[in-house]
Amino acid sequence: MQRCCDNIYKSARRSAGLTQEQASERLYISTRSLAEYEAGRTTPPDDVVCRMVEIYKARYLAYMHLKQSREVGQRFLPDLHILDLPRSVLKLQKEVKDVTDINSRMVDVACDGTIDDQEQETWQSITKELHEMIGAGLSVLFSQKERAVM
């Protein structure tokens, strides 16, 4: 399992305005354990991450945890770049336009229910664009200050 080295746990805690001591008390873990998670030396178990998401009011943390710490997330979840809300919306609009532009090719490839050898490269390009659009959509959802929403 890959270590989480981007300090997603530390960033989420800091955004919540909590010290390590305050957070560890609310998470029912030791300050040392939290420090290990935040330094990327160990990966927190899912139940601790679930509590972090709730206490820090940071839903994006669940996604980032799966993306970074689980093979299935690394292999299959779209990349996510959380930006501020205006830039996230603009990025989503750009990605929606890109998918709209390839719509006729997507229909051509998919209409017969099979992707033959000649269509494989086109389909890979289509799925790349779809993943980018999904990631941009998630960025919009996660870019909001969750404290204000919840």
Side-chain angles (χ1 to χ4, degrees), residues 25-126:
E25 184 177 311
R26 293 178 189 180
L27 293 167
Y28 307 111
I29 60 173
S30 69
T31 303
R32 183 179 180 139
S33 292
L34 183 58
E36 292 290 310
Y37 302 150
E38 291 184 357
R41 288 187 286 271
T42 60
T43 300
D46 291 345
D47 65 316
V48 172
V49 176
C50 287
R51 288 195 304 272
M52 287 177 175
V53 168
E54 293 168 356
I55 290 165
Y56 300 164
K57 299 190 183 335
R59 292 179 305 166
Y60 70 89
L61 186 58
Y63 186 93
M64 297 302 291
H65 171 74
L66 291 172
K67 178 72 175 154
Q68 290 185 5
S69 69
R70 301 289 186 260
E71 182 181 355
V72 70
Q74 294 167 9
R75 291 181 57 196
F76 299 109
L77 292 178
D79 288 335
L80 181 62
H81 305 284
I82 300 174
L83 307 167
D84 57 66
L85 184 59
R87 288 189 305 163
S88 292
V89 168
L90 290 172
K91 177 72 171 165
L92 176 59
Q93 289 176 331
K94 179 232 179 270
E95 297 302 340
V96 167
K97 182 189 177 308
D98 290 351
V99 170
T100 301
D101 290 347
I102 61 167
N103 186 55
S104 63
R105 288 189 296 155
M106 187 168 32
V107 171
D108 288 344
V109 171
C111 69
D112 64 359
T114 61
I115 302 169
D116 60 37
D117 292 341
Q118 295 89 349
E119 297 170 325
Q120 198 60 247
E121 188 175 327
T122 300
W123 190 250
Q124 287 175 348
S125 172
I126 290 166

